[in-house]
Amino acid sequence: DADVTQTPRNRITKTGKRIMLECSQTKGHDRMYWYRQDPGLGLRLIYYSFDVKDINKGEISDGYSVSRQAQAKFSLSLESAIPNQTALYFCATSGLGAYGYTFGSGTRLTVV
Amino acid sequence: AQSVAQPEDQVNVAEGNPLTVKCTYSVSGNPYLFWYVQYPNRGLQFLLKYITGDNLVKGSYGFEAEFNKSQTSFHLKKPSALVSDSALYFCAVRDIGHTGFQKLVFGTGTRLLVSP
C-alpha cells in the first residue's frame, strides 16, 4: 500500500456541485498539506495542518475548505465547484522540519 | 518569503549527453533546497536536498545538484541523460512562516525531454 493515498484518482464534476477529495497516510507524520498543480504555475499551497487542531490557509485557499479528521486523514472540499478549479491536486505529508515531503499520486479534477 | 525560480519551461537533451536543469533561489538566511521529479500520472518523488555542508549534493537515479551561494543557484545535473529521465522537475525551498510552521515553496517546474 502507498504511504499517502488519495481518492478519487480522477473526478469529473459539474459547476456548483460540492466535492470532497480525501487523503490518508501511513507515515505517522503530523504535518499534512494540500497543493494544487496547474501548468506553468507549479504547485501552490491551498491548506496545511500541523495536527488535528491546527489548520492554516495557504496562498490560494479561497473556494476551498479542509477537515483533519485524524492524524492520518486530511480532506479537501470544494463547496461549490467552478471550472477554474480544474487542476491536479496533491496531498503531501512531512515530519518535523519539512525536510522533505511524501506525496500522494494526485487527484485529477475536472469541473465542467 | 522564500522563493525559487526555474527559468526554463522545457529542456531538451540527447540521450548520453549531460543535462542541467536550472533553479535560482531568493531567501533570507540559509536556504534549505530540494529537487523533486514527477513522472506522468504520478506524484512528486524526492530526488535530493541541500541543508548544509558540501556544495555538491548527490541524489537518486544518478542526479546531483550544485549549491552556489554567490549565484544563488541550485542547478540539477546528470552526467549522462537517459530517455527514462524525461519528466517534470521541480525545485523547492523551505519557508518558515510567521507562526514558525515550515513548508515547501515550489518553482513552476521544468519539463525535461531526452531524445533517443
Side-chain angles (χ1 to χ4, degrees):
Chain A
D1 289 341
D3 293 327
V4 181
T5 302
Q6 290 184 238
T7 57
R9 289 297 305 274
N10 293 281
R11 181 72 180 267
I12 300 174
T13 192
K14 293 184 178 180
T15 298
K17 292 291 187 181
R18 183 180 188 276
I19 183 170
M20 179 182 289
L21 310 184
E22 299 187 345
C23 176
S24 63
Q25 54 116 343
T26 58
K27 298 286 291 184
H29 288 159
D30 289 325
R31 297 159 192 244
M32 298 188 74
Y33 311 79
W34 276 104
Y35 282 87
R36 167 179 170 161
Q37 182 183 5
D38 297 277
L41 296 178
L43 276 75
R44 293 180 292 166
L45 184 61
I46 307 173
Y47 271 95
Y48 58 100
S49 171
F50 178 72
D51 61 28
V52 294
K53 297 180 181 178
D54 184 89
I55 293 177
N56 303 276
K57 293 182 177 180
E59 59 183 305
I60 55 161
S61 59
D62 288 349
Y64 302 94
S65 63
V66 291
S67 173
R68 186 84 183 264
Q69 300 96 325
Q71 187 206 33
K73 295 183 181 293
F74 192 37
S75 300
L76 176 72
S77 294
L78 288 67
E79 296 301 326
S80 179
I82 57 176
N84 76 358
Q85 291 177 314
T86 293
L88 185 56
Y89 290 85
F90 285 106
C91 175
T93 73
S94 76
L96 183 67
Y99 289 121
Y101 285 4
T102 300
F103 281 88
S105 297
T107 294
R108 186 169 296 281
L109 177 65
T110 303
V111 183
V112 297
Chain B
Q2 325 289 44
S3 66
V4 289
Q6 295 182 243
E8 302 157 316
D9 291 336
Q10 182 164 312
V11 171
N12 299 302
V13 64
E15 188 173 33
N17 284 356
L19 69 87
T20 299
V21 182
K22 296 180 180 177
C23 174
T24 58
Y25 64 87
S26 175
V27 303
S28 55
N30 295 320
Y32 286 18
L33 296 160
F34 304 80
W35 276 102
Y36 284 82
V37 59
Q38 183 183 22
Y39 297 103
N41 301 314
R42 302 284 297 275
L44 279 73
Q45 298 177 31
F46 171 80
L47 276 180
L48 51 81
K49 67 185 177 196
Y50 172 83
I51 304 296
T52 186
D54 290 342
N55 290 338
L56 186 63
V57 180
K58 294 189 181 298
S60 306
Y61 312 122
F63 284 93
E64 58 191 24
E66 185 173 10
F67 173 71
N68 188 316
K69 189 172 183 178
S70 63
Q71 298 186 5
T72 62
S73 67
F74 188 58
H75 300 333
L76 182 69
K77 300 181 179 183
K78 188 173 183 181
S80 179
L82 300 172
V83 173
S84 58
D85 291 330
S86 297
L88 187 57
Y89 291 80
F90 289 96
C91 181
V93 63
R94 190 184 72 167
D95 178 67
I96 301 176
H98 65 280
T99 62
F101 194 92
Q102 301 165 19
K103 58 188 183 293
L104 295 186
V105 176
F106 289 84
T108 53
T110 298
R111 186 164 301 281
L112 174 66
L113 183 60
V114 182
S115 55

